[in-house]
């Protein structure tokens, strides 16, 4: 059961298909709550000769047009909020979002102070302390729920994914964004990593994290590394969670309301 269509679609881009997409069912061993279900639907999109800036524009234009088509307006009523999906959306770096919504300047904190902040917020680092992962954990615990209006959170720490290209001008960061609305992550996108040597190194690092207990570490995929050795053009990639998007467009409080077959407790015979 695949966790994402990503690596398969990128192999098609490497094979000469410059624009590909798939609406796919994915499966992840994650907790079940109002915004998570182990089986979910994702739209995966990959475009050659594009980057994460292009994917940001595509995301906001697509969701704005969906809102207008479904509800008649770019402004959607959701759980006592008016969400304005009109493009362009606000953009904040992850560090800016933490400073704005949690009052924490992560660049001013030492490693031990960062680790303390994670503990104070109730977060957890499964594979031991790494500065970038600590920053991402602080963002998840202290900021995500505060992101009501549509926003792109850009320029994440490099430790957060092995599949993204290093930022072109900011050391230690990658060209990645996640889009949020109503406190929910709606999309995840990158300027894709194309260097096979660097990709193998990052996969091996993910394998180390997996061995140390990180369930979300990415499994190594040598077939994909071999594909990159053949060559892949500059590529922008995007994944959008369809179920959460349907929640917003239908004013549904729980993801179970929009799933045909949600996970439920069994009944005693």
């Amino acid at each position: 059961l695949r966790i994402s269509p990503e690596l398969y679609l990128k192999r098609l881009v490497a094979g000469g298909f410059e624009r590909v997409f798939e609406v796919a069912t994915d499966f992840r061993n994650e907790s079940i709550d109002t915004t998570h279900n182990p089986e979910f639907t994702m739209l995966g999109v990959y475009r050659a000769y594009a980057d994460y800036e292009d994917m940001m524009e595509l995301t906001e234009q697509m969701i704005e047009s969906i809102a207008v088509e479904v509800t008649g307006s770019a402004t959607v009523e959701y759980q006592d909020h008016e969400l304005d999906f009109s493009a362009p959306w606000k953009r904040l770096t992850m560090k800016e979002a933490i400073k704005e919504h949690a009052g924490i300047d992560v660049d001013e904190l030492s490693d031990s102070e960062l680790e303390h902040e994670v503990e104070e917020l109730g977060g957890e680092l499964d594979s031991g302390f790494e500065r970038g992962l600590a920053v991402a954990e602080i963002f998840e615990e202290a900021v995500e729920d505060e992101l009501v209006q549509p926003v792109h959170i850009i320029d994440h720490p490099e430790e957060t994914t092995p599949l993204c290209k290093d930022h072109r001008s900011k050391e230690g960061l990658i060209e990645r964004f996640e889009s949020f609305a109503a406190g929910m992550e709606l999309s995840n996108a990158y300027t894709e990593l194309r260097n096979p040597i660097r990709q193998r190194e990052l996969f091996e690092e993910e394998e180390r994290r997996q061995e140390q207990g990180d369930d979300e570490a990415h499994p190594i995929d040598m077939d994909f590394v071999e594909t990159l050795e053949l060559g892949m053009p500059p590529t922008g990639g995007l994944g959008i969670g369809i179920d959460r998007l349907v929640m917003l467009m239908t004013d549904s409080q729980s993801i179970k309301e929009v799933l045909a077959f949600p996970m439920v407790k069994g009944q005693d015979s």
Side-chain angles (χ1 to χ4, degrees):
L1 300 177
R2 61 184 179 176
I3 62 172
S4 170
E6 178 169 357
L7 299 187
Y8 309 99
L9 292 177
K10 285 197 282 192
R11 290 180 205 182
L12 289 174
V13 175
F17 294 87
E18 294 186 356
R19 298 193 181 200
V20 294
F21 76 93
E22 182 180 4
V23 178
T25 300
D26 297 318
F27 306 85
R28 296 184 187 175
N29 187 22
E30 297 180 344
S31 59
I32 303 172
D33 57 31
T34 56
T35 62
H36 292 84
N37 192 71
E39 178 183 348
F40 61 97
T41 304
M42 177 191 293
L43 168 66
V45 178
Y46 291 86
R47 181 196 298 174
Y49 310 107
D51 62 12
Y52 78 145
E53 294 279 354
D54 298 304
M55 294 298 105
M56 270 184 265
E57 292 180 10
L58 175 61
T59 300
E60 58 198 22
Q61 290 170 3
M62 186 189 314
I63 295 180
E64 179 187 9
S65 67
I66 290 170
V68 172
E69 181 70 23
V70 171
T71 72
S73 171
T75 301
V76 174
E77 295 280 348
Y78 182 76
Q79 303 294 302
D80 299 324
H81 295 292
E82 285 192 351
L83 306 179
D84 185 2
F85 289 105
S86 301
W89 297 1
K90 183 177 181 179
R91 300 182 184 186
L92 287 172
T93 68
M94 181 173 284
K95 292 180 180 180
E96 288 171 344
I98 293 172
K99 192 170 185 179
E100 179 176 315
H101 291 279
I104 302 170
D105 188 342
V106 295
D107 286 333
E108 295 297 318
L109 300 182
S110 66
D111 287 354
S112 60
E113 289 171 329
L114 263 185
E115 192 168 14
H116 178 71
E117 286 288 351
V118 171
E119 292 172 357
E120 285 290 300
L121 291 166
E124 187 176 352
L125 300 173
D126 293 330
S127 58
F129 179 84
E130 291 186 59
R131 190 172 180 87
L133 294 180
V135 170
E137 189 72 8
I138 290 171
F139 170 80
E140 182 175 336
E141 295 294 335
V143 179
E144 285 191 7
D145 289 344
E146 306 300 318
L147 302 176
V148 177
Q149 291 301 320
V151 60
H152 300 302
I153 302 299
I154 67 173
D155 300 351
H156 296 210
E158 62 185 355
E159 297 93 334
T160 59
T161 178
L163 298 166
C164 186
K165 186 177 180 180
D166 290 342
H167 198 284
R168 65 196 74 185
S169 62
K170 299 177 183 178
E171 187 175 355
L173 301 181
I174 51 178
E175 295 193 351
R176 176 186 184 185
F177 75 86
E178 292 176 322
S179 305
F180 289 83
M184 292 187 287
E185 177 194 336
L186 296 181
S187 74
N188 183 29
Y190 318 143
T191 302
E192 301 295 338
L193 178 61
R194 300 185 296 126
N195 183 329
I197 297 174
R198 178 64 174 155
Q199 184 65 85
R200 179 168 185 162
E201 291 173 350
L202 292 173
F203 274 154
E204 290 171 349
E205 176 64 20
E206 289 289 295
E207 191 172 45
R208 181 192 66 78
R209 289 180 184 152
Q210 201 170 45
E211 291 171 354
Q212 292 182 344
D214 187 348
D215 292 336
E216 296 187 8
H218 201 290
I220 193 166
D221 187 331
M222 289 309 300
D223 287 340
F224 179 64
V225 173
E226 291 178 8
T227 298
L228 293 183
E229 290 173 349
L230 298 175
M232 184 174 81
T235 301
L238 165 67
I240 294 180
I242 300 298
D243 306 309
R244 291 180 184 174
L245 187 58
V246 174
M247 286 176 63
L248 293 179
M249 298 301 158
T250 59
D251 194 16
S252 300
Q253 185 177 12
S254 171
I255 197 169
K256 289 185 179 180
E257 298 176 50
V258 303
L259 297 176
F261 303 101
M263 296 289 288
V264 295
K265 288 183 179 180
Q267 294 182 336
D268 294 333
S269 57

